[in-house]
Amino acid sequence: MDKNIDNKSNFSSPLGAGGIDNNGFYGDFGGAYIPEILHGTVERLKAAYFAIKDDATFKAEYYDLLKNYVGRPSPLYFAKRLSAEYGTNIYLKREDLNHTGAHKINNALGQILLAKRMGKTRIIAETGAGQHGVATATACALMGLECIVFMGKTDVERQFLNVQKMRMLGATVEPVTSGNWTLKDATNEAIRYWCSNPDCFYIIGSTVGPHPYPDMVGFFQSVISEEIKWQLKEQVGRDFPDYLMACVGGGSNAMGTYYHYLNDERVKIISAEAGGMGIDSGETAATISIGTTGILHGSKTLLMQNEDGQITEPYSISAGLDYPGIGPAHAFLAKIGRTKVHPINDDEALDAAFELTRLEGIIPAIESAHALALLKKVKDTFKLNDIVVITVSGRGDKDMDTYVKYFPVI
Ligand SMILES: *Cc1c(COP(=O)(O)O)cnc(C)c1O
């Protein structure tokens, strides 16, 4: 059994001819809508990023960290009892077992290595639930770089354990009190700070923001599908599944999961977005289902907005999916029909979280539970011999307060 991820990689472009153009557009979506003051900064970032994409020295350094620091490869685990329940073969890609508990560290480490190459000494980041903030603060501690994390004040109060972790790691947490005090506002504040301090490096946590971030974050997460390929080959004798499934907040764990399969028509790709209380309830974050085209945080994409272009406040039980936009690549993939997207409501995600816990002894993050809930949506199409791969993007420790509230009804 070969566990040497260093020799198995394919650092090539994911979207092929139908993919990103030179200006960072995926069809109608993407681009770089940034103030003039950031133009030079973003151009230098683009040049540095495209230079490392095929750089063997960079890759060796990055893959060494993924292996020895993050603990990769993450297992591709055959979930026997879950498979029996759904009458097919379900494999779980265990990003929950990574250092810091989710897939976010893959991207934070890739970007921090790039920042170091560019000679940067100060890192900024935005965070919602705090997972990306913790991953970035971790990477900064590892590299000895200064770290400032912008976080809505509401989230600072809701996710205090992650705030304390970031502080222990040496980061400065800046509570944001503009707008609704949540992720969208933290991102606005990070961009504002970046404009006044264009010398710092902004580590964005998902496949959102101006070009090249959506492409770059997807690229750093593509190690997920790179591993799925050889792990499937090893375990089932072919390197592709019949179904791939993941949850989409901004879209990074999903893009990492799909990356090397986007041009493989044998693979059906299904995404979960957060339905909240239901897509017609006004309490939702189902951007692909109900969004319209607009510009947010430097990128043209689908957004939840009213007729005047004011962003509608999103709602989901899961802080990591609670974003009013969506990565432009996912807007594009849904539009051309390459992915099918189902909104998953809070109660469906909770059921799926308890189901996985009781059948497999794995407590998933509530975000990941949205991906697991897809099983019920598509089970009628499963065949006995199908191979289904679902990414478990994170572990449920951070969600225990939420889960505990539902103990009596389960
Ligand atoms: C942040 C987060 C997500 C959502 O972000 P994506 O960029 O869509 O992957 C999903 N799951 C977990 C565990 C997270 O921490």
Side-chain angles (χ1 to χ4, degrees), residues 362-378:
I362 298 168
I363 302 178
I366 186 72
E367 291 83 6
S368 320
H370 285 70
L372 291 153
L374 288 170
L375 287 168
K376 281 208 167 55
K377 301 279 175 191
V378 290

Side-chain angles (χ1 to χ4, degrees), residues 102-104 131 205-207 247-254 320-321 365 367-368 393-394 398:
H103 64 292
K104 296 232 167 58
Q131 295 299 103
S206 190
T207 47
C247 65
V248 177
S252 70
N253 87 87
L321 303 181
E367 291 83 6
S368 320
S393 53
K398 69 183 178 53

Side-chain angles (χ1 to χ4, degrees), residues 31-337:
Y33 296 84
I34 48 168
E36 191 53 36
I37 186 129
L38 287 178
H39 188 77
T41 303
V42 171
E43 283 303 312
R44 282 187 288 280
L45 171 65
K46 245 160 61 182
Y49 162 56
F50 285 115
I52 61 93
K53 272 188 103 165
D54 296 308
D55 180 330
T57 318
F58 182 91
K59 197 175 148 187
E61 202 179 344
Y62 178 45
Y63 274 58
D64 180 67
L65 281 179
L66 291 180
K67 183 174 172 188
N68 297 308
Y69 188 70
V70 177
R72 303 202 72 93
S74 65
L76 182 70
Y77 164 70
F78 176 58
K80 199 169 164 194
R81 297 186 68 212
L82 192 67
S83 297
E85 184 72 24
Y86 287 94
T88 191
N89 303 286
I90 301 168
Y91 289 78
L92 304 176
K93 184 58 174 157
R94 300 286 312 275
E95 294 301 300
D96 58 310
L97 293 177
N98 294 340
H99 180 44
T100 69
H103 64 292
K104 296 232 167 58
I105 191 77
N106 302 329
N107 168 57
L109 289 174
Q111 287 197 49
I112 205 129
L113 286 178
L114 186 57
K116 267 190 25 177
R117 284 226 163 178
M118 295 178 73
K120 305 286 186 176
T121 54
R122 193 193 305 162
I123 304 295
I124 61 169
E126 84 295 333
T127 198
Q131 295 299 103
H132 174 57
V134 169
T136 303
T138 299
C140 288
L142 181 67
M143 299 296 170
L145 299 181
E146 186 187 346
C147 181
I148 305 171
V149 179
F150 295 89
M151 187 171 188
K153 191 154 183 279
T154 305
D155 291 332
V156 168
E157 283 154 17
R158 282 196 295 205
Q159 305 288 339
F160 204 60
L161 179 63
N162 277 340
V163 173
Q164 297 296 45
K165 282 186 188 174
M166 288 184 261
R167 288 181 176 149
M168 181 154 178
L169 287 158
T172 304
V173 178
E174 288 285 349
V176 173
T177 52
S178 55
N180 290 292
W181 302 11
T182 57
L183 175 59
K184 162 178 67 67
D185 314 300
T187 310
N188 286 338
E189 201 55 41
I191 293 174
R192 216 167 293 150
Y193 185 92
W194 198 26
C195 289
S196 350
N197 302 270
D199 282 344
C200 62
F201 190 101
Y202 182 13
I203 298 190
I204 294 185
S206 190
T207 47
V208 300
H211 179 59
Y213 282 99
D215 185 60
M216 178 165 71
V217 175
F219 173 68
F220 285 134
Q221 292 292 356
S222 70
V223 65
I224 299 173
S225 57
E226 187 180 297
E227 289 174 4
I228 292 172
K229 279 194 111 164
W230 65 259
Q231 288 173 320
L232 272 182
K233 180 86 186 157
E234 208 171 75
Q235 294 183 43
V236 305
R238 61 163 150 113
D239 70 357
F240 65 97
D242 298 288
Y243 293 88
L244 268 181
M245 299 180 186
C247 65
V248 177
S252 70
N253 87 87
M255 187 50 74
T257 302
Y258 308 160
Y259 200 92
H260 290 94
Y261 294 110
L262 284 169
N263 295 322
D264 188 339
E265 297 295 333
R266 296 169 299 187
V267 183
K268 295 182 258 313
I269 301 182
I270 306 179
S271 303
E273 63 175 359
M277 310 287 273
I279 59 170
D280 299 321
S281 68
E283 299 286 325
T284 184
T287 313
I288 292 179
S289 300
I290 66 161
T292 51
T293 304
I295 292 166
L296 180 67
H297 301 145
S299 171
K300 191 181 201 184
T301 187
L302 292 175
L303 305 176
M304 300 204 326
Q305 55 188 336
N306 67 18
E307 282 152 21
D308 303 326
Q310 294 293 320
I311 298 296
T312 317
E313 194 59 20
Y315 164 79
S316 162
I317 192 170
S318 136
L321 303 181
D322 200 352
Y323 183 66
I326 180 89
H330 288 285
F332 172 71
L333 290 167
K335 187 174 172 191
I336 63 170

Side-chain angles (χ1 to χ4, degrees), residues 346-357 366 369 373 376 410:
D346 291 357
D347 54 347
E348 296 170 313
L350 284 166
D351 282 351
F354 279 86
E355 180 179 64
L356 183 74
T357 305
I366 186 72
K376 281 208 167 55
I410 297 292

Side-chain angles (χ1 to χ4, degrees), residues 332-343:
F332 172 71
L333 290 167
K335 187 174 172 191
I336 63 170
R338 179 64 187 101
T339 57
K340 179 142 181 48
V341 183
H342 290 277

